[in-house]
Amino acid sequence: MARWSTIDKRQIAPCSPTGGTVGFEGKPKFVSFDMNGTLIHFRINEVIPRVLGDRLPAEITGDFLRTGNQFRIDECMGEWKPFHQVVAHSLERTMRWFGLEYREGDGQAVYDEIPTWGPFPGVSEALRRLAEEYPLVIVTNSDDVHASRLVENLQAPFDVVISAEQMGVYKPRLRAFEYMLDKLGVAPDEIVHVSASPKYDLRPAADIGIEHKVFMDRGFEPDHPWLGYERITDIADLPVLLGLPRP
């Protein structure tokens, strides 16, 4: 059987003659995905400066957005609250940290743009190719309303869509991955999980025992190879990694 090994476009192992795919005895029962930032181009760092306008000085914008990302994950670490509150509270905390004026409605203005965002190039084609052979799953920190609209934007068939609102918790909480495994009725070694975020997805997935993981490296988080995933930089390589032709 072909081995699950670091991908090289010139030497990608095919599925085995018996129908198994790399790293599996047989084939995975599901391929699960993070959505925002992995499949959907999550443009929050473009929208926030536009919403804030001249209240956000250009010379601190980079530091402001990096800090805001940390406050946003911190807002995800407690008990569930609506995602519009996660966006608003993290933005308000970031504004306060930098001594800037936060206005009521800033967070909602950012939140309202999220369902208009579309996929990264090549995503829909790769997903449709994968769906020829594998049931596809979304597990997302979006709420129900945004999740359904964003999945429509992907223009690909998903068998299961799991939102944070359904789970009652946000990633990177381990409970999110417990919920996904329970809902799918699978063991951790029976799926492949794909994400662009070691922080939100791949680290907790590894902690809960999901062995087969793919890091879709979009360049916004560093590589953490000790987590035991396959790293790709082109979504078209994912079907090949799982034994299918490139889309």
Side-chain angles (χ1 to χ4, degrees), residues 142-149 161-166:
S142 292
D143 53 25
D144 285 346
V145 172
H146 279 188
S148 62
R149 292 181 62 185
V161 177
I162 302 170
S163 71
E165 188 171 351
Q166 295 169 32

Side-chain angles (χ1 to χ4, degrees), residues 5-227:
S5 59
T6 302
I7 207 160
D8 183 328
K9 291 182 182 178
R10 298 162 298 178
Q11 297 179 340
I12 299 177
C15 58
S16 76
T18 59
T21 189
V22 283
F24 282 87
E25 299 296 331
K27 73 176 190 179
K29 292 183 177 179
F30 296 93
V31 181
S32 60
F33 293 87
D34 169 60
M35 183 163 59
N36 296 329
T38 299
L39 305 177
I40 292 289
H41 191 172
F42 196 66
R43 298 178 178 273
I44 197 164
N45 285 348
E46 300 172 20
V47 173
I48 287 173
R50 186 168 72 248
V51 167
L52 299 182
D54 58 12
R55 284 178 289 152
L56 177 59
E59 63 270 18
I60 68 167
T61 296
D63 287 341
F64 181 93
L65 294 173
R66 283 188 290 272
T67 302
N69 288 339
Q70 299 311 310
F71 279 129
R72 196 157 54 251
I73 194 171
D74 189 62
E75 288 288 328
C76 291
M77 295 303 291
E79 290 305 307
W80 183 85
K81 53 179 165 286
F83 193 61
H84 69 86
Q85 292 183 15
V86 171
V87 173
H89 292 174
S90 59
L91 181 56
E92 183 176 9
R93 290 171 66 187
T94 310
M95 298 288 280
R96 187 168 63 246
W97 185 263
F98 283 87
L100 304 177
E101 176 197 2
Y102 179 80
R103 298 174 185 167
E104 289 299 322
D106 285 342
Q108 189 68 40
V110 174
Y111 171 84
D112 287 345
E113 289 212 26
I114 293 174
T116 69
W117 299 337
F120 287 101
V123 162
S124 298
E125 295 83 356
L127 291 173
R128 289 194 291 264
R129 176 55 51 85
L130 284 166
E132 295 171 5
E133 187 67 25
Y134 300 101
L136 305 185
V137 177
I138 288 284
V139 56
T140 177
N141 276 356
S142 292
D143 53 25
D144 285 346
V145 172
H146 279 188
S148 62
R149 292 181 62 185
L150 290 166
V151 169
E152 288 180 5
N153 296 349
L154 291 172
Q155 298 181 341
F158 283 88
D159 289 72
V160 182
V161 177
I162 302 170
S163 71
E165 188 171 351
Q166 295 169 32
M167 296 185 291
V169 69
Y170 287 102
K171 299 178 295 179
R173 296 284 302 277
L174 292 183
R175 188 146 44 100
F177 292 90
E178 290 179 275
Y179 183 101
M180 177 182 71
L181 294 171
D182 287 346
K183 185 173 181 67
L184 299 179
V186 295
D189 63 352
E190 293 179 317
I191 68 168
V192 175
H193 188 64
V194 183
S195 177
S197 177
K199 179 168 59 177
Y200 277 95
D201 279 80
L202 299 173
R203 185 178 300 165
D207 287 343
I208 209 163
I210 296 175
E211 179 180 353
H212 304 296
K213 303 174 293 296
V214 178
F215 177 31
M216 177 60 249
D217 190 349
R218 299 275 182 205
F220 57 79
E221 287 191 29
D223 189 12
H224 295 166
W226 55 88
L227 293 176

